[in-house]
């Protein structure tokens, strides 16, 4: 099942509970939360207290994307705050295997994120111990950027890798996805499709999620 995953980065933070309720009515089952530290990326966003507050206002799966240095110092805190899945950047982890183990031990799904320029080939050996892979389709840090087209080739390659290894792990994509390029993204092989500005800057986020779910479902007939 392909999931449309709204990123609250583009939501109105003063009305977060209502914004989340709205996309939930549209059919969203996963909410994406972007954590930035001003070091791994230049932007700053939220920490565990916000995840904890969001946890109190929804039962949906909370997918936390850590764009921070030394994520091993914080992963357990984010799981305790209510994250169902936590992803860390390959580029930020000196001991990736150990950090993934920490996330799993804390009780959440463990994901690896790759920046656009990092090849999926670095995942060859670790793929068996990750629960999902997030491929960045923009340089991380800000919403509202354009999808980098070569990332769709990476999605296709990763799709072949997981098939060859008989793994069912979801492929997540993040950045520059909106209604107009959704079919192409789904056909490349993505399962969790993050969209921030495409949903929250649309005139009717609830209807946009509903419509994107329908488009995604009908595009799954023709998958790579
Ligand atoms: C960017 C974040 C994204 C962001 C995507 O670094 O990781 O999750 O919210 O925003 P859009 O969909 O607007 O590109
Ligand atoms: Zn993200």
């Amino acid at each position: 099942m392909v999931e449309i995953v709204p990123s609250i980065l583009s939501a109105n933070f003063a009305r977060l509970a209502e914004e989340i309720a709205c996309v939930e009515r549209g059919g969203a089952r996963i909410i994406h939360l972007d954590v930035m530290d001003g070091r791994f990326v230049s932007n700053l966003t939220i920490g565990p207290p916000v995840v904890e507050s969001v946890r109190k206002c929804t039962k949906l799966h909370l997918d936390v994307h850590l764009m921070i240095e030394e994520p091993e110092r914080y992963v357990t805190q984010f799981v305790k705050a209510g994250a169902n899945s936590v992803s860390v950047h390959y580029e930020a982890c000196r001991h990736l295997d150990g950090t993934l183990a920490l996330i799993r031990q804390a009780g959440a799904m463990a994901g690896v994120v790759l920046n656009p320029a990092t090849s999926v080939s670095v995942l060859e050996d670790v793929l068996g111990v990750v629960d999902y892979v997030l491929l960045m389709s923009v340089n991380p840090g800000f919403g509202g950027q354009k999808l980098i087209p070569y990332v769709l080739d990476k999605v296709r390659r990763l799709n072949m890798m997981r098939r060859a290894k008989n793994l069912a792990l979801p492929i997540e994509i993040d950045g520059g996805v909106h209604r107009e390029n959704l079919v192409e993204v789904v056909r490349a092989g993505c399962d969790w499709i993050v969209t921030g500005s495409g949903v929250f800057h649309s005139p009717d986020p609830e209807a946009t999620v509903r419509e994107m779910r329908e488009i995604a479902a009908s595009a799954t007939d023709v998958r790579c």
Side-chain angles (χ1 to χ4, degrees):
M1 176 75 198
V2 175
E3 296 293 345
I4 300 299
V5 181
S7 161
I8 60 163
L9 187 63
S10 296
N12 179 346
F13 275 75
R15 303 175 50 244
L16 207 44
E18 294 152 61
E19 297 269 68
I20 290 170
C22 178
V23 293
E24 188 166 355
R25 284 194 302 274
R29 300 202 291 191
I30 307 175
I31 300 292
H32 185 84
L33 298 96
D34 289 301
V35 176
M36 306 186 189
D37 66 353
R39 289 177 63 219
F40 182 72
V41 292
S42 56
N43 204 356
L44 275 170
T45 56
I46 60 166
V50 175
V51 176
E52 212 175 311
S53 302
V54 170
R55 181 71 292 163
K56 287 179 189 144
C57 73
T58 180
K59 291 195 167 56
L60 294 185
H61 176 128
L62 300 184
D63 175 43
V64 172
H65 172 195
L66 297 182
M67 284 159 274
I68 63 175
E69 298 285 0
E70 299 180 87
E72 66 280 2
R73 294 173 60 201
Y74 299 100
V75 288
T76 306
Q77 247 177 285
F78 278 102
V79 178
K80 283 193 180 141
N84 300 97
S85 55
V86 175
S87 58
V88 292
H89 271 259
Y90 171 83
E91 301 85 1
C93 290
R94 194 169 288 177
H95 302 289
L96 178 60
D97 179 81
T99 305
L100 293 170
L102 276 180
I103 300 170
R104 280 181 154 183
Q105 275 158 23
M109 291 172 75
V112 183
V113 194
L114 299 185
N115 278 336
T118 306
S119 169
V120 292
S121 61
V122 302
L123 299 174
E124 187 66 46
D125 295 300
V126 81
L127 218 50
V129 294
V130 305
D131 296 309
Y132 64 107
V133 176
L134 168 48
L135 296 181
M136 288 307 299
S137 38
V138 296
N139 289 296
F142 298 91
Q145 304 179 70
K146 270 206 162 69
L147 181 142
I148 298 169
Y150 71 73
V151 173
L152 294 182
D153 290 328
K154 291 174 65 181
V155 173
R156 292 182 196 101
R157 277 205 303 281
L158 181 59
N159 197 11
M160 287 193 285
M161 280 166 72
R162 72 173 165 180
R163 255 191 226 157
K165 292 176 186 292
N166 229 339
L167 296 169
L169 52 89
I171 299 176
E172 184 172 25
I173 191 164
D174 184 7
V177 183
H178 41 75
R179 240 179 359 205
E180 286 64 36
N181 57 15
L182 181 57
V183 168
E184 202 186 351
V185 165
V186 173
R187 288 188 178 160
C190 298
D191 307 287
W192 292 0
I193 297 170
V194 177
T195 170
S197 50
V199 164
F200 288 109
H201 292 174
S202 74
D204 185 347
E206 177 184 337
T208 303
V209 171
R210 191 170 297 123
E211 203 182 328
M212 287 181 82
R213 282 178 61 83
E214 282 161 15
I215 295 171
S218 55
T220 47
D221 337 341
V222 195
R223 293 257 266 185
C224 292

